[in-house]
Amino acid sequence: MTHGGRALQRERTRQALLREGRRLFAARGYGAVGLSEIVRAAGVTKGALYHHFEGKSDLFRAVLEQVQQEVARAVAAAADAQDDPWARLVAGCRAFLAAGADPEIQQIMLVDGPAVLGWSEWRALDEAASARHLAEALTALVEAGVIAPQPVPPLVHLLSGAMNEAALWLAGSAGPGDLADTQAALERMLEALRG
């Protein structure tokens, strides 16, 4: 096998581990899934897994980063589809809640993420993935005079915390109108920021 062929095979193995790890973690939760089950599903050896990841928690971290980046991309796409800075903020927040309503994303990002990695590491990843977008949107609104002049970091953390908590609540709620109700409540909350 050529060097390029080996590199391609390694990448395929890594992608298979991420795909199967994600599927199993999402379906049953981190604690209920064993390494041997993941490697069997991916069709690779434990040695191959250890070539790419230090262990189960390292694989989970990579899956979580992948999920967080997907959510961040969905939020950015929804925001970027709007011309008006205020509409961008609202669309991005709505998209975050909609993404968080997906059971697969809830399990990995909101339930297992903080439990497996610990709060501070999970928080750092969350901040790198989506809090940055929120900070940029709020900064633009303060600069444009849409939101009263104020320090942006406290606002970012308050809104980010509220949305994570709302997404967690949605994970356990069964009402068909809960997502729409939560998005409407969030919009009323955001509206209060307008100067």
Side-chain angles (χ1 to χ4, degrees):
M1 195 184 280
T2 65
H3 176 69
R6 273 197 302 275
L8 187 65
Q9 186 55 47
R10 272 199 302 275
E11 187 49 31
R12 278 201 192 114
T13 299
R14 188 175 189 282
Q15 289 307 318
L17 286 163
L18 282 168
R19 186 181 59 247
E20 295 306 319
R22 178 175 176 160
R23 184 179 64 80
L24 290 163
F25 293 145
R28 301 220 313 279
Y30 177 85
V33 177
L35 262 188
S36 50
E37 189 179 0
I38 296 168
V39 296
R40 198 166 50 248
V44 301
T45 63
K46 267 195 179 155
L49 180 131
Y50 286 115
H51 178 76
H52 293 278
F53 304 101
E54 286 169 21
K56 187 169 98 164
S57 65
D58 193 36
L59 171 62
F60 176 81
R61 187 185 199 281
V63 166
L64 173 65
E65 279 183 315
Q66 190 182 63
V67 168
Q68 285 180 320
Q69 283 160 8
E70 279 171 26
V71 170
R73 278 195 299 272
V75 167
D80 292 345
Q82 305 295 323
D83 293 328
D84 172 66
W86 182 259
R88 273 202 287 278
L89 173 70
V90 173
C93 290
R94 286 180 68 92
F96 178 84
L97 285 178
D102 177 333
E104 178 180 308
I105 287 171
Q106 287 166 353
Q107 184 63 47
I108 292 169
M109 194 168 92
L110 300 166
V111 177
D112 285 336
V116 174
L117 298 182
W119 177 252
S120 50
E121 190 182 350
W122 176 81
R123 192 73 200 90
L125 285 177
D126 183 54
E127 209 152 300
S130 56
R132 190 171 42 85
H133 295 294
L134 188 55
E136 286 165 8
L138 290 167
T139 301
L141 288 164
V142 169
E143 284 168 0
V146 178
I147 293 177
Q150 60 188 290
V152 169
L155 211 46
V156 170
H157 285 88
L158 283 164
L159 282 176
S160 182
M163 286 189 287
N164 280 336
E165 187 59 36
L168 262 175
W169 175 74
L170 285 167
S173 76
D178 286 345
L179 176 59
D181 289 346
T182 303
Q183 287 176 327
L186 179 66
E187 283 180 47
R188 285 190 295 274
M189 213 169 94
L190 291 173
E191 206 53 54
L193 292 173
R194 284 229 252 204

